[in-house]
Amino acid sequence: EAGVTQSPTHLIKTRGQQATLRCSPISGHTSVYWYQQALGLGLQFLLWYDEGEERNRGNFPPRFSGRQFPNYSSELNVNALELEDSALYLCASSLVRGHQETQYFGPGTRLLVL
Amino acid sequence: TQLLEQSPQFLSIQEGENLTVYCNSSSVFSSLQWYRQEPGEGPVLLVTVVTGGEVKKLKRLTFQFGDARKDSSLHITAAQPGDTGLYLCAGVGAAGNKLTFGGGTRVLVKP
């Protein structure tokens, strides 16, 4: 069974541009979570989607947004990129709604903003 | 805002030694999870502890949840180079709708 996949693996953008990151959950999983991990640090919760709807978001500005498609895959969009947005962006999926359930992580997309 | 603090931030030991990583908070969590993350990969769940005072063992790893469900520890016995990685604790809030991660402890086990 395929795990969580993310694309691209690496992304280089310049300040002010927009970035789009993609995530495909494990087959059958309906919840998708996005996290930001700055270099060598812990994960900061960004967004949680379930059944196509945004269920919760972390303390990030509105230029971080996303959506979940009918096939449960998800996109994270970051507008007006800033240097401090450089980080590893991790996507996770779970079988059942809610953070209590085991989350399975993808390998991440490393975003570098120059 | 619920915060989780991990200590130490970095730990370097020789193969065969023991180590303990701590995860502390002033908030109560309904459950706490421990993950290990290796370079270039996403975190992988090691264990979930739910009950205050609970102790779980996973081979040479022992996880403990504090009685008040505010803190947890991870103890590794006779560490091996394969234990090298970033260890993350994550707490689930009482409402069950938010996962809060600690800052991580980077463990290096030298052969």
Side-chain angles (χ1 to χ4, degrees), chain A residues 35 37 39-45 48 55-59 88 90 97-108 110, chain B residues 1 9 30-31 33 35 37 40-45 48 86 88 92-104 106:
Chain A
Y35 295 87
Q37 185 176 30
L39 187 62
L41 299 179
L43 283 68
Q44 300 294 320
F45 168 70
W48 168 29
R55 301 294 182 180
N56 200 359
R57 72 179 284 131
N59 295 325
L88 179 67
L90 291 159
R97 171 192 296 191
H99 290 265
Q100 298 267 20
E101 302 303 322
T102 298
Q103 297 183 25
Y104 297 87
F105 284 83
R110 190 165 295 281
Chain B
T1 303
Q9 289 183 310
S30 60
S31 65
Q33 301 172 347
Y35 292 80
Q37 183 179 19
E41 300 179 9
V44 175
L45 180 67
T48 300
L86 178 67
L88 297 156
V92 180
N97 64 356
K98 186 173 175 62
L99 195 61
T100 301
F101 278 85
R106 192 165 296 281

Side-chain angles (χ1 to χ4, degrees), chain A residues 12-64:
Chain A
I12 300 176
K13 295 284 186 178
T14 56
R15 195 169 49 183
Q17 286 188 313
Q18 182 210 27
T20 298
L21 288 63
R22 297 179 177 83
C23 171
S24 292
I26 292 173
S27 178
H29 286 194
T30 62
S31 275
V32 171
Y33 311 83
W34 286 96
Y35 295 87
Q36 182 194 66
Q37 185 176 30
L39 187 62
L41 299 179
L43 283 68
Q44 300 294 320
F45 168 70
L46 266 166
L47 291 159
W48 168 29
Y49 292 96
D50 181 72
E51 297 285 357
E53 293 188 18
E54 181 180 304
R55 301 294 182 180
N56 200 359
R57 72 179 284 131
N59 295 325
F60 282 85
R63 57 190 187 83
F64 286 84

